[in-house]
Amino acid sequence: MAKREQRDSRSSRDKDRPEKKKRNMLKTAGVETVDWKDVNLLRSFLSDRGKIRSRRITGLTPKQQSQVAQAIKSAREMALLPYSGAGKR
C-alpha cells in the first residue's frame, strides 16, 4: 500500500510567503463602539456591491462584527447606506 502524503492547506507557491495577519480595522481607527451615524467608517465594511464584508476579510472579533452588521442595517434603514444588489429584475 502506498503511503498517503499529508497536504498542507496552503499551496506550494504560498508556502514561501509568510502569513499576513488580519488587521482589526476598528482597533486601528481607535473606535470603541460602532455608531450607525458614522457612515464613512461603515462604508469601509461594505463591498463595492453593497454587501457586508465577512470577519475573515475585516479581521474583527465576533462581537465587533455583530455591532458593525447591526449599525449597517440601521444606517440602511435611515437611507444613509445603500442596500445590496440591484433589486428584482
Side-chain angles (χ1 to χ4, degrees), residues 33-83:
T33 57
V34 183
D35 188 20
W36 60 270
K37 293 172 270 185
D38 192 359
V39 179
N40 292 329
L41 177 70
L42 294 178
R43 281 188 194 273
S44 64
F45 295 103
L46 292 176
S47 70
D48 57 342
R49 293 181 175 245
K51 295 183 177 182
I52 300 172
R53 295 186 193 270
S54 67
R55 277 190 56 225
R56 184 174 56 87
I57 305 297
T58 60
L60 298 176
T61 65
K63 187 175 183 178
Q64 289 173 331
Q65 182 70 22
S66 177
Q67 287 177 350
V68 166
Q70 192 60 46
I72 288 174
K73 290 173 186 178
S74 297
R76 284 176 175 167
E77 205 49 45
M78 301 305 249
L80 297 175
L81 290 174
Y83 284 93

Side-chain angles (χ1 to χ4, degrees), residues 1-33:
M1 286 190 191
K3 194 175 191 181
R4 291 186 180 177
E5 294 179 23
Q6 289 184 349
R7 294 186 180 172
D8 194 1
S9 62
R10 299 191 306 174
S11 68
S12 61
R13 116 185 110 175
D14 290 339
K15 288 181 182 178
D16 298 335
R17 293 186 219 152
E19 285 192 36
K20 193 174 185 181
K21 184 164 180 162
K22 300 279 189 257
R23 299 186 68 187
N24 189 327
M25 296 166 71
L26 290 179
K27 199 171 193 178
T28 56
V31 177
E32 294 289 325
T33 57

